[in-house]
Amino acid sequence: MPAIEVFIPESQIQARIAELGAQISADYAGQTVVLVGVLKGSFMFMADLCRQITVPVRLDFIGTKSYEGTTTTGQVQLTKDLDRAIEDEHVVIVEDIIDTGLTLSYLKLLFAQRGPASLKVAAFLDKPSRRRVQVEGDYVGFTIEDKFVIGYGLDYDQRYRNLKDVCVMVG
Ligand code: IMP
């Protein structure tokens, strides 16, 4: 078993998500927001973020796959589509992390073709140094250096998603 070190503690995560929720609530005052969680990594961020948003929300999820172990395959595959149409809706894509940017640019293009009223991105983490395509989050929790992180929804080979903190493997 590799040793694990806390990188972003739970308390800091929760404080930052409260700020993001307040910002989204202010930006969408008087409107309904459709939060689209990108499975599986965003499930914990989605659960905490949606509870910090005070405007009406509808939740949906989309499934993508691009990683095997710690390596991106460079190809994004859809494993689950949305349950409902997003035409004329105010959509916020909820991502665990923007790494190469391939997933997000794929989803932004896909969703833009479906005629939403607006389309924004909330990303829990951002690793800008790893970008292969230029794409940015509108609401970003933490910008981090080039480290492979686990916990708080993020996995290494489908493990560690349940950790309350964002962690790194050491040794
Ligand atoms: P992309 O490279 O920006 O397309 O990111 C695709 C997906 O890879 C993210 O949504 C994460 O699920 C996963 N990913 C990227 N970096 C990490 C990491 O450091 N730890 C765990 N998963 C990651």
Side-chain angles (χ1 to χ4, degrees):
M1 272 269 284
I4 284 169
E5 249 174 32
V6 173
F7 183 58
I8 308 173
E10 186 186 4
S11 57
Q12 221 176 302
I13 293 172
Q14 294 305 331
R16 182 70 187 122
I17 292 175
E19 291 175 353
L20 293 181
Q23 203 184 333
I24 292 171
S25 304
D27 290 354
Y28 291 88
Q31 289 164 334
T32 296
V33 185
V34 180
L35 299 177
V36 174
V38 186
L39 293 170
K40 302 174 194 164
S42 73
F43 80 97
M44 223 177 259
F45 178 43
M46 179 74 145
D48 286 336
L49 182 65
C50 74
R51 284 180 286 179
Q52 297 291 345
I53 295 176
T54 52
V55 298
V57 295
R58 183 164 80 71
L59 302 186
D60 207 338
F61 290 92
I62 195 154
T64 63
K65 197 182 155 196
S66 67
Y67 261 68
E68 270 156 28
T70 59
T71 323
T72 179
T73 60
Q75 296 267 327
V76 183
Q77 285 172 266
L78 213 59
T79 55
K80 182 211 170 292
D81 205 343
L82 298 176
D83 290 337
R84 284 226 338 230
I86 52 166
E87 196 178 347
D88 299 330
E89 304 272 16
H90 294 286
V91 176
V92 177
I93 301 174
V94 178
E95 255 285 34
D96 54 356
I97 185 165
I98 314 174
D99 184 39
T100 62
L102 288 166
T103 307
L104 199 53
S105 60
Y106 170 86
L107 289 178
K108 281 189 86 172
L109 206 65
L110 182 75
F111 288 176
Q113 291 163 357
R114 298 181 180 186
S118 66
L119 182 59
K120 285 196 178 179
V121 175
F124 174 55
L125 299 174
D126 187 9
K127 271 198 265 190
S129 62
R130 293 253 311 159
R131 278 301 191 287
R132 281 163 61 177
V133 283
Q134 215 35 60
V135 62
E136 301 303 328
D138 300 285
Y139 307 97
V140 173
F142 301 91
T143 300
I144 62 169
E145 65 260 48
D146 182 9
K147 277 180 191 297
F148 192 84
V149 288
I150 53 170
Y152 197 72
L154 292 130
D155 73 308
Y156 168 69
D157 254 346
Q158 299 305 324
R159 290 193 54 200
Y160 307 108
R161 291 193 196 275
N162 59 322
L163 303 179
K164 293 177 184 168
D165 313 289
V166 173
C167 299
V168 284
M169 286 188 276
V170 287

